[in-house]
């Protein structure tokens, strides 16, 4: 992710341990921590993001420039 990042990287430990980075351009990347780069997922949020996402339980809140986004974990979505 060779982009400007203002949000702090996050270490997420629920389920698969991973590092999450969100660029100012709204590109989100998660990868496995370790000596070898192993990407796990990526997404484009379609909006400028300067703030570090907030994780509450199985939910991630991401404040974009114009809107607040909510991302639920796959296990939570399957439980509905």
């Amino acid at each position: 992710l060779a982009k400007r990042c203002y949000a702090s990287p996050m270490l997420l430990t629920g389920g698969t341990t991973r590092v999450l980075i969100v660029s100012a351009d709204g590109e989100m990347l998660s990868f496995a921590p370790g000596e070898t780069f192993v990407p796990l997922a990526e997404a484009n949020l379609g909006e400028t993001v300067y703030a570090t996402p907030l994780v509450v339980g199985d939910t991630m809140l991401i404040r974009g420039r114009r809107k607040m986004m909510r991302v639920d974990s796959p296990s939570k979505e399957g439980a509905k």
Side-chain angles (χ1 to χ4, degrees):
L1 188 69
K3 304 266 183 175
R4 295 174 297 136
C5 293
Y6 297 111
S8 298
M10 300 175 61
L11 180 65
L12 305 174
T13 58
T16 302
T17 299
R18 60 205 176 279
V19 176
L20 177 80
I21 296 176
V22 181
S23 77
D25 295 331
E27 293 180 17
M28 187 165 52
L29 171 69
S30 70
F31 58 92
E35 293 184 28
T36 305
F37 179 72
V38 179
L40 300 174
E42 57 186 281
N44 188 318
L45 302 173
E47 180 161 345
T48 302
V49 176
Y50 295 129
T52 300
L54 172 67
V55 176
V56 180
D58 291 336
T59 300
M60 180 183 303
L61 300 173
I62 305 166
R63 193 185 110 231
R65 185 169 184 206
R66 294 179 305 257
K67 60 187 172 188
M68 177 75 79
M69 295 164 266
R70 175 181 170 171
V71 179
D72 291 323
S73 73
S75 61
K76 185 173 183 178
E77 290 175 2
K80 291 182 178 178

